[in-house]
Amino acid sequence: MKTLAFSLSPAPPFRLDLTALALQRRPINKIDTWNGETYSRVLVFGKVPLLVQVTQTGTERSPRLHIRAQTKHLPRNARICITGSLQKLLGLRADMKQFYRFARSDRRLSELAERFAGLRPPRFPFVFEAMVNGIACQQLSLHVGLTLLNRLTVRAGLAVELPAETLHAFPGPEDISKLRMQTLRRLGF
C-alpha cells in the first residue's frame, strides 16, 4: 500500500468535526465516515480508489488539516485531485465572512452562528453523486436513503482493501450503468 501525506490550512474558523458530521448525516453512512477524530472517504481518480483520511490540529481559529491517502497505485496528480475533492466535500473554499456579518444582526442566528462557528457547507464532489443522494434520501427517510446508498456503494463502487475491512468509493455513472435493473431493485431502488 502506498501512502501520501500532506497538510492544508483552511481559512478560519474551521471545525472538521462539525463539517464531517454534516456531511456524514447519520452514523450508518459508509461513504463519509467520522469516528470522532478522523473523517474518511474513498475517492477515485483515474479509476484508482484512494482511502483519504483527514484529521485536524490547532483550533477553529488556527486550523491545520492533515491528509493521509492510501492506495495500491498512487496517481501522479493525487495531491491536486485530493485537495480539489476536499475543497468541495469540506467546504474549504467557502468564504463565510458575509454570513457571520449577517448573523450578528439577528440575536437567534448570532447564537447559532457562534455555537457552530467553523461548520462549513459541505458538497458532494460530483453532481451525479448529489443527484443520486437526492433521489435515494427522498424515498422514505434519510435513514432509508443512506441504507440504499450504502448498498449501492458496496455493490458498484471501487474498493480499497485494508487488513481489517474493505471500503468502497461512491460509484460513478459508468459503474451504475453496468448494473441490471433487477440488481438495482434488489438493492432497494
Side-chain angles (χ1 to χ4, degrees):
M1 212 32 109
K2 295 184 180 187
T3 301
L4 170 67
F6 61 97
S7 296
L8 298 172
S9 295
F14 181 83
R15 285 190 50 193
L16 179 62
D17 60 339
L18 295 177
T19 304
L21 284 169
L23 191 55
Q24 183 184 32
R25 296 170 283 177
R26 296 278 192 274
I28 66 162
N29 186 337
K30 292 181 181 178
I31 302 158
D32 296 290
T33 65
W34 172 251
N35 69 7
E37 290 183 19
T38 305
Y39 166 72
S40 300
R41 182 185 173 107
V42 176
L43 298 171
V44 176
F45 304 111
K47 300 190 182 199
V48 177
L50 292 87
L51 171 60
V52 177
Q53 298 175 304
V54 183
T55 58
Q56 179 176 342
T57 58
T59 65
E60 74 184 53
R61 298 282 175 212
S62 181
R64 186 90 173 141
L65 299 181
H66 305 281
I67 294 89
R68 180 178 176 194
Q70 295 177 293
T71 183
K72 286 184 179 179
H73 309 285
L74 196 60
R76 260 187 223 160
N77 59 348
R79 182 177 174 156
I80 293 167
C81 294
I82 292 166
T83 300
S85 291
L86 290 177
Q87 286 172 342
K88 285 182 182 179
L89 284 163
L90 302 177
L92 299 181
R93 284 195 171 166
D95 184 353
M96 303 298 291
K97 290 175 190 163
Q98 285 186 317
F99 168 75
Y100 287 118
R101 256 193 309 273
F102 175 77
R104 280 189 234 120
S105 68
D106 181 273
R107 182 184 59 80
R108 288 187 209 146
L109 185 55
S110 178
E111 289 173 12
L112 284 173
E114 190 173 312
R115 181 174 166 197
F116 293 104
L119 169 63
R120 294 289 178 87
R123 295 184 332 201
F124 295 109
F126 302 102
V127 173
F128 179 76
E129 184 176 344
M131 182 186 74
V132 175
N133 266 266
I135 292 168
C137 292
Q138 291 182 31
Q139 296 300 305
L140 295 170
S141 68
L142 181 58
H143 186 89
V144 170
L146 289 172
T147 300
L148 294 174
L149 293 169
N150 287 340
R151 289 177 189 163
L152 182 65
T153 298
V154 168
R155 177 66 176 87
L158 293 176
V160 171
E161 295 189 29
L162 302 170
E165 64 184 327
T166 300
L167 302 172
H168 295 84
F170 190 84
E174 64 284 351
D175 303 315
I176 294 174
S177 70
K178 294 175 186 172
L179 300 177
R180 296 179 50 206
M181 188 61 68
Q182 182 180 17
T183 302
L184 289 169
R185 284 190 184 118
R186 273 195 310 252
L187 294 173
F189 287 92

